[in-house]
């Protein structure tokens, strides 16, 4: 299997280069404030954004943070994980999950977790193949 180079988006330019992938996962976001949202998340929630390029194009991203929960202890939580629809089934998502597992172990986390939409069956297959288990439903109440 091909080794994919995983990088962390730290500069505004690197963050913005991830927009085309994030837009597929989070269509409600706007490009005009995307960089400031990521920078805010990084500063206040310890959010980190990883990405993989195929040539000059970013084709996959993974945004995450390490938090402490009563339920699971020190947990690496994956907020955003997406591969461009035109780049699926090339191992990018799996490579990011493997890299995330490595980071979680280095950070001495007790668990890695994520939420996923009900209809994302290909993603669910990947998560199960990578050792994740389906253990709960996530509920949300929109307030505004």
């Amino acid at each position: 299997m091909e080794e994919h180079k995983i990088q962390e988006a730290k500069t505004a330019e690197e963050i913005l280069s991830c927009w085309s992938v994030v837009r597929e996962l989070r269509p409600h976001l706007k490009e005009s404030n995307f960089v400031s949202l990521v920078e805010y998340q990084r500063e206040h929630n310890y959010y980190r954004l990883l990405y993989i390029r195929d040539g000059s194009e970013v084709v996959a991203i993974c945004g995450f943070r390490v938090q402490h929960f009563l339920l699971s202890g020190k947990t690496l939580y994956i907020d955003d994980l997406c591969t461009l629809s035109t780049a699926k089934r090339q191992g990018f998502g799996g490579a990011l999950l493997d890299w995330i597992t490595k980071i979680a172990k280095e950070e001495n986390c007790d668990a890695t977790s994520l939420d996923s939409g009900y209809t994302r069956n290909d993603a669910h297959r990947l998560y199960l193949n990578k050792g994740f288990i389906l253990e709960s439903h996530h509920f949300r109440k929109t307030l505004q």
Side-chain angles (χ1 to χ4, degrees):
M1 184 173 166
E2 181 183 341
E3 182 91 15
H4 300 294
K5 183 178 180 190
I6 297 170
Q7 298 174 277
E8 185 169 352
K10 294 182 177 180
T11 68
E13 182 180 7
E14 291 169 335
I15 294 167
L16 189 56
S17 73
C18 298
W19 171 247
S20 61
V21 182
V22 173
R23 178 181 53 212
E24 286 193 14
L25 183 65
R26 309 279 181 233
H28 64 283
L29 295 179
K30 294 183 175 90
E31 184 177 9
S32 60
N33 67 345
F34 171 61
V35 171
S36 62
L37 286 173
V38 171
E39 289 173 339
Y40 181 89
Q41 286 285 86
R42 186 170 49 206
E43 183 178 337
H44 297 282
N45 297 318
Y46 309 105
Y47 181 85
R48 294 171 62 187
L49 181 61
L50 304 178
Y51 65 95
I52 298 175
R53 287 187 185 276
D54 187 17
S56 62
E57 180 182 32
V58 173
V59 293
I61 61 96
C62 182
F64 69 96
R65 54 201 152 115
V66 174
Q67 295 184 306
H68 292 265
F69 295 98
L70 293 176
L71 171 68
S72 57
K74 188 175 183 182
T75 301
L76 189 151
Y77 181 79
I78 300 169
D79 290 273
D80 311 297
L81 179 62
C82 186
T83 299
L84 275 179
S85 57
T86 57
K88 298 221 183 264
R89 299 189 183 271
Q90 296 180 48
F92 299 120
L96 284 166
L97 284 175
D98 291 344
W99 193 259
I100 284 295
T101 298
K102 180 181 172 203
I103 292 172
K105 288 178 180 178
E106 289 170 356
E107 294 278 340
N108 294 312
C109 290
D110 299 305
T112 300
S113 66
L114 57 84
D115 291 315
S116 183
Y118 280 113
T119 61
R120 298 187 47 144
N121 295 317
D122 289 340
H124 300 163
R125 213 171 0 266
L126 173 64
Y127 306 149
L128 293 168
N129 287 336
K130 291 292 182 179
F132 286 78
I133 58 169
L134 180 59
E135 66 179 9
S136 68
H137 291 280
H138 177 89
F139 293 88
R140 176 178 67 153
K141 181 178 182 178
T142 302
L143 301 175
Q144 294 183 17

